[in-house]
Amino acid sequence: MAVTEKLQSMGVQDTEMKVGVDKPSNHLVYWTSLGFIGLSLALYLGRKYQSANFIGLWVPSLLGLGIYLKENKVLDLQKKMIQQQPNVSSLGMS
């Protein structure tokens, strides 16, 4: 049985299995990061070096937030899978 079929048999929805870049929150994080990079570049080219560095330092923090949100979703899916597994000892198997 494939992993996808096993998850579906446990009641996990298709939308819950897509934990990658498909989520709107991840798109928002990535596009915002790109916007800050562009703004930082524009400020740098305008010779406002301190402002460019200040804005440019936001990007890693924002991408870190995106990774956290993605990992949190993966952990939630794993917890759901563990909760839905049958208890083997109650079935008389060891």
Side-chain angles (χ1 to χ4, degrees), residues 11-54:
V12 177
Q13 303 296 323
D14 285 337
T15 55
E16 292 175 318
M17 287 186 253
K18 296 178 182 177
V19 293
V21 184
D22 297 352
K23 297 293 179 186
S25 61
N26 287 338
H27 284 294
L28 178 65
V29 168
Y30 297 133
W31 283 109
T32 305
S33 296
L34 276 174
F36 283 142
I37 291 171
L39 178 61
S40 178
L41 182 61
L43 288 169
Y44 186 81
L45 293 175
R47 298 181 185 241
K48 297 187 178 197
Y49 301 118
Q50 286 185 337
S51 298
N53 285 335
F54 179 70

Side-chain angles (χ1 to χ4, degrees), residues 51-82:
S51 298
N53 285 335
F54 179 70
I55 299 295
L57 288 173
W58 294 354
V59 176
S61 300
L62 192 58
L63 291 174
L65 175 66
I67 291 170
Y68 169 76
L69 293 174
K70 182 177 176 182
E71 288 296 319
N72 195 22
K73 180 66 177 173
V74 170
L75 291 176
D76 288 344
L77 182 59
Q78 288 175 347
K79 286 178 188 177
K80 186 173 185 177
M81 287 174 53
I82 289 171

